Amino acid sequence: MDHSKVLNMVNDLLLKVEQGYVERQIGEPYMRNGMGDDALTFRGIDNVKAFTDTVEYMWTKDREIYDTISRDRVHSELFILVRKCVDEDKLVLDHIKDLFKNFKSEPIHSFEVLYHLYGAEYFKGHPLIIGPYTIYNTKIHRKHLLENYPHGEDELDDLDQISLESEVIISVVEKARDASRANEKALLRLRQFEDTIRFMIGDIEKRYDVGIFNFNVFKRTTGILLSDEITSSTSKMTGAIEPILLHKFPINDPEYGHDRLWEILGKKNPTELEKRIISAIAWSGKALRDEEQARALTQYVFALEALLQFQQRGSMVSPSITYQMAEFAAFIISDDLDNRLKIEEMIKNIYGIRSAIAHGGSHEVSGNVIHEVFFLLKNLITILVKNETFKGFQTIEQVGKWVKIKKYS
């Protein structure tokens, strides 16, 4: 962290801040702290950007601050500093150093962050631990939770009252200096859980779903159709129809590579290839939730690109995205020439449809294409995490070299 740079940025803010009541133009961006005569306002896009840029620099340039303090907290403390400097008409480097010293003097807590999990049931006597996640039944495991957190009884009661539709909760543990930052970090991991469990279930027909924030709830959509001669109505049922029994579902089964996926999600420093796998799963999970086929296909293509696309180092000429990914997929999935040719043709077809969607052409996407692209991704990811050939691979470049050797051998 460059304290002198922060000092210069705050000095610049002191030239931009306005005190007291400030009249704004309609639609003009602004940022305000306080009310009436005590208000401090940054008005106009350039001044607002200067403030947010300072917050971002202070928050992200010190890893310890970033990991343990929320952006909102830094935002609030910066306004407090600006107010202090305005009142005292003084800003020195020690003000900046003291701010960061105070942040780091606060203790780091370990927070277990819990949210309801919908579309799932779990009835085992012990909590289910998968990677960084723990899943509880609120009735069966309540005693276990209270033994760990005897002061949390009221909060657990509140959580039960908020949703009577699910007895299952999921948690992840995050370390932070304030609860808001722990929650921010937990939300990222919990959304990864949503995408990953949805990928594992792989229900393209959307009869089953497990979710925390974006659960596909069972619902009826009804419409009426009127003309000068005919009237009609339409009704459609959508959403998850039955819960997934987590004590029976192969959620951590090595046969499908599920154990490896949770292991990767629990890593602090995953490899470049593992990051690609998680990104591809995230896009696949979002596509599985999307009810619009054209949008779902686009997200599946994002998943393919996240997994396989790369620019060869030192190469002046790069093959087309379609050709490169088709070649990679064909060699990873199959040893058979005919199957490789089919996979290549499949990817070309998928990209042709995606291109038509992107350029304003037809938005019609058949169910067969959705099935093909999902199972293509499912096969690729399962092979990359399970197959001994790729066990030591850390980058997509290593996969590319392997494909080249297979191609010319």
Side-chain angles (χ1 to χ4, degrees), residues 120-133:
E121 293 181 351
Y122 182 69
F123 297 115
K124 290 286 188 179
H126 56 273
L128 174 62
I129 299 173
I130 43 172
Y133 308 100

Side-chain angles (χ1 to χ4, degrees), residues 117-375:
L117 183 64
Y118 300 96
E121 293 181 351
Y122 182 69
F123 297 115
K124 290 286 188 179
H126 56 273
L128 174 62
I129 299 173
I130 43 172
Y133 308 100
T134 304
I135 294 173
Y136 303 95
N137 180 299
T138 54
K139 292 184 177 178
I140 298 172
H141 307 123
R142 182 179 177 83
K143 183 179 178 182
H144 171 92
L145 286 164
L146 288 175
E147 285 175 355
N148 289 339
Y149 311 105
H151 54 285
E153 186 169 7
D154 289 344
E155 284 73 16
L156 287 170
D157 287 341
D158 289 344
L159 194 62
D160 284 341
Q161 290 300 317
I162 288 169
S163 177
L164 303 175
E165 300 166 5
S166 174
E167 294 178 355
V168 180
I169 54 178
I170 182 170
S171 79
V172 65
V173 174
E174 296 291 350
K175 292 183 178 181
R177 287 187 163 91
D178 63 55
S180 294
R181 184 58 179 142
N183 188 57
E184 288 172 355
K185 292 162 71 176
L187 291 181
L188 177 62
R189 285 189 178 271
L190 292 172
R191 293 189 191 282
Q192 288 178 328
F193 174 89
E194 269 193 328
D195 292 328
T196 304
I197 191 72
R198 201 168 275 140
F199 174 81
M200 290 178 176
I201 296 167
D203 183 17
I204 293 171
E205 305 303 323
K206 299 175 176 57
R207 295 162 298 180
Y208 301 92
D209 190 41
V210 173
I212 305 161
F213 312 108
N214 196 26
F215 175 59
N216 191 12
V217 66
F218 185 70
K219 61 183 180 293
R220 180 197 296 271
T221 304
T222 303
I224 60 170
L225 298 86
L226 305 174
S227 76
D228 53 355
E229 295 183 359
I230 300 172
T231 63
S232 183
S233 64
T234 179
S235 181
K236 183 180 181 181
M237 308 296 289
T238 58
I241 57 175
E242 289 184 35
I244 296 288
L245 303 179
L246 294 180
H247 47 287
K248 293 184 177 181
F249 181 76
I251 193 167
N252 209 28
D253 196 329
E255 182 180 347
Y256 303 98
H258 291 174
D259 59 332
R260 281 280 293 121
L261 296 181
W262 298 123
E263 179 189 328
I264 293 169
L265 282 172
K267 286 187 173 183
K268 286 187 176 180
N269 297 299
T271 67
E272 188 260 358
L273 184 57
E274 289 170 341
K275 288 177 182 177
R276 285 175 173 270
I277 289 168
I278 293 306
S279 181
I281 289 173
W283 282 114
S284 299
K286 290 172 177 57
L288 283 161
R289 176 64 180 86
D290 207 315
E291 294 182 11
E292 186 182 325
Q293 298 281 65
R295 202 163 53 207
L297 179 66
T298 300
Q299 291 175 105
Y300 282 127
V301 171
F302 288 164
L304 278 171
E305 292 175 353
L307 186 63
L308 298 178
Q309 183 185 351
F310 85 109
Q311 172 68 48
Q312 290 183 340
R313 292 179 185 174
S315 175
M316 296 297 291
V317 179
S318 177
S320 73
I321 292 172
T322 309
Y323 175 81
Q324 179 215 303
M325 294 201 308
E327 186 175 79
F328 277 30
F331 277 89
I332 291 169
I333 291 173
S334 180
D335 289 325
D336 179 75
L337 175 60
D338 287 341
N339 284 335
R340 285 175 177 169
L341 293 173
K342 287 177 184 176
I343 292 167
E344 180 180 326
E345 191 61 32
M346 185 190 304
I347 290 181
K348 287 179 179 178
N349 180 50
I350 289 166
Y351 258 85
I353 298 169
R354 187 256 191 184
S355 180
I357 293 168
H359 294 96
S362 172
H363 279 225
E364 293 296 322
V365 177
S366 74
N368 286 340
V369 172
I370 295 295
H371 278 81
E372 284 178 349
V373 69
F374 175 71
F375 287 109

Side-chain angles (χ1 to χ4, degrees), residues 273 328 332 384 390 393 395-403:
L273 184 57
F328 277 30
I332 291 169
L384 287 172
F390 305 103
F393 286 24
T395 67
I396 195 64
E397 284 187 325
Q398 289 175 293
V399 176
K401 290 177 181 177
W402 174 84
V403 168

